[in-house]
Amino acid sequence: KFRERLMKRNLDAALITKRENYFYMSGFSGTSAHLLITQDDAYLITDFRYTEQAEKEAPLYKIVQHQQGSLVTTIFDIIKKTGINSLGFEESNLTYEKYSEYKERLDVVDFVPLRGLVEELRIIKDQEELDMLKKSVEIADNAFKHILSYIKPGIREIEIAAEIEYFMKKN
């Protein structure tokens, strides 16, 4: 669906930088990644801390490790290798400084805002997402029931928060 929408917008590829969106698109839950999705390939670019995790969580992606300070160079190399001329980017997630750096250093003819393309896909839930939401609600309901029996006079708020978090993660 994503690639179809890229084609409709005459884009060769998209650079996904927003954490919620790269998690949605790849399943990767680490805190440092960029996705570069072309019509033929999908790359997850991250640093050495996350390569093993990325391989496990994003099996449909080619995992590319960038060196410290070389993220833009790594993206540039992939763009050059794959012949990307038009690249979509998440305009709401880039600072002007980063936008300027990408625009200057990435060798693309068109650098085009995606205008919420991933968010459009995220709005409509498939059955797997609906099942996960139901499971999440069930866990939250059970955590609430559990914490009602846990709360007693003298218990600090931080202890209650820790117990709720522990219960939810355990379940």
Side-chain angles (χ1 to χ4, degrees), residues 112-151:
V112 182
L114 288 174
R115 307 223 187 277
L117 180 67
V118 179
E119 288 81 358
E120 289 173 15
L121 294 173
R122 287 176 52 196
I123 288 172
I124 301 168
K125 305 297 182 209
D126 63 21
Q127 191 57 51
E128 183 181 356
E129 290 171 300
L130 291 172
D131 292 344
M132 286 191 303
L133 286 170
K134 288 177 185 174
K135 180 67 176 167
S136 297
V137 168
E138 182 182 318
I139 290 170
D141 284 346
N142 290 338
F144 181 73
K145 290 173 191 169
H146 168 74
I147 211 66
L148 287 177
S149 65
Y150 181 82
I151 295 175

Side-chain angles (χ1 to χ4, degrees), residues 3-171:
R3 286 182 169 127
E4 287 171 8
R5 291 174 187 222
L6 283 180
M7 283 178 63
K8 286 180 185 174
R9 295 183 185 196
N10 296 316
L11 293 171
D12 297 331
L15 183 63
I16 308 300
T17 56
K18 186 175 181 182
R19 185 171 185 203
E20 295 86 352
N21 289 344
Y22 72 66
F23 173 72
Y24 175 80
M25 297 293 291
S26 69
F28 176 65
S29 62
T31 59
S32 177
H34 284 44
L35 303 181
L36 184 62
I37 301 172
T38 71
Q39 289 299 330
D40 300 316
D41 293 307
Y43 301 89
L44 189 153
I45 305 157
T46 190
D47 63 51
F48 72 95
R49 299 172 298 166
Y50 294 107
T51 53
E52 188 176 323
Q53 177 183 352
E55 287 169 0
K56 289 178 185 169
E57 293 180 348
L60 300 177
Y61 285 75
K62 294 179 181 180
I63 309 305
V64 179
Q65 179 181 318
H66 71 84
Q67 301 305 316
Q68 187 174 0
S70 71
L71 174 63
V72 178
T73 302
T74 301
I75 295 168
F76 171 82
D77 291 343
I78 296 169
I79 286 172
K80 190 170 181 117
K81 181 178 77 174
T82 56
I84 295 168
N85 288 312
S86 56
L87 179 65
F89 69 94
E90 295 177 296
E91 72 280 1
S92 65
N93 197 53
L94 280 185
T95 63
Y96 182 74
E97 177 183 24
K98 205 43 123 171
Y99 168 81
S100 298
E101 181 182 8
Y102 285 167
K103 183 104 170 109
E104 179 184 318
R105 294 189 53 208
L106 298 181
D107 191 20
V108 293
V109 175
D110 295 312
F111 196 48
V112 182
L114 288 174
R115 307 223 187 277
L117 180 67
V118 179
E119 288 81 358
E120 289 173 15
L121 294 173
R122 287 176 52 196
I123 288 172
I124 301 168
K125 305 297 182 209
D126 63 21
Q127 191 57 51
E128 183 181 356
E129 290 171 300
L130 291 172
D131 292 344
M132 286 191 303
L133 286 170
K134 288 177 185 174
K135 180 67 176 167
S136 297
V137 168
E138 182 182 318
I139 290 170
D141 284 346
N142 290 338
F144 181 73
K145 290 173 191 169
H146 168 74
I147 211 66
L148 287 177
S149 65
Y150 181 82
I151 295 175
K152 295 179 181 23
I155 293 179
R156 296 180 312 160
E157 186 177 328
I158 195 165
E159 294 172 283
I160 295 168
E163 180 64 22
I164 290 171
E165 184 175 351
Y166 172 72
F167 182 90
M168 292 179 82
K169 285 182 176 181
K170 189 171 79 173
N171 289 279

